[in-house]
Amino acid sequence: MRIEFTGRREVVAAARVAFEANVDGADVWCSVSLDALNDHFGNGGTSAHDLVGTFEANRARIENATRKVLQKNGGQSVELETGDFN
């Protein structure tokens, strides 16, 4: 399975950062929760600036966790929660 991250990301409702992956040529939207950003990456705020800043500072680790879930679920959309980083 070929997985590449496009670099597109945005803050969405429910305080999540959504980001795009390309899996075998298909675009797949993924996200990471506010709780995961707080619990594992030291995020301290709820503004879009805070969330995106924490996401960008930890992009490699978040993408690695996403890659593992994408490989397990056959390339379907991923919503990472705090338990996905244990």
Side-chain angles (χ1 to χ4, degrees):
M1 177 179 295
R2 182 183 167 123
I3 300 169
E4 296 177 355
F5 294 93
T6 66
R8 290 180 60 193
R9 83 295 187 258
E10 60 187 69
V11 175
V12 296
R16 301 185 76 83
V17 176
F19 53 100
E20 188 178 48
N22 185 282
V23 180
D24 292 334
D27 293 335
V28 177
W29 278 98
C30 305
S31 68
V32 59
S33 71
L34 172 64
D35 287 342
L37 293 172
N38 291 347
D39 294 346
H40 297 282
F41 303 105
N43 180 62
T46 58
S47 73
H49 178 77
D50 292 330
L51 295 173
V52 169
T54 300
F55 174 84
E56 289 297 336
N58 298 282
R59 179 184 281 274
R61 189 166 165 214
I62 293 166
E63 288 179 352
N64 284 337
T66 304
R67 185 174 278 106
K68 289 177 185 176
V69 176
L70 286 167
Q71 289 171 335
K72 287 180 185 177
N73 76 9
Q76 301 301 308
S77 180
V78 172
E79 293 186 354
L80 295 173
E81 301 295 341
T82 197
D84 293 306
F85 296 95
N86 293 329

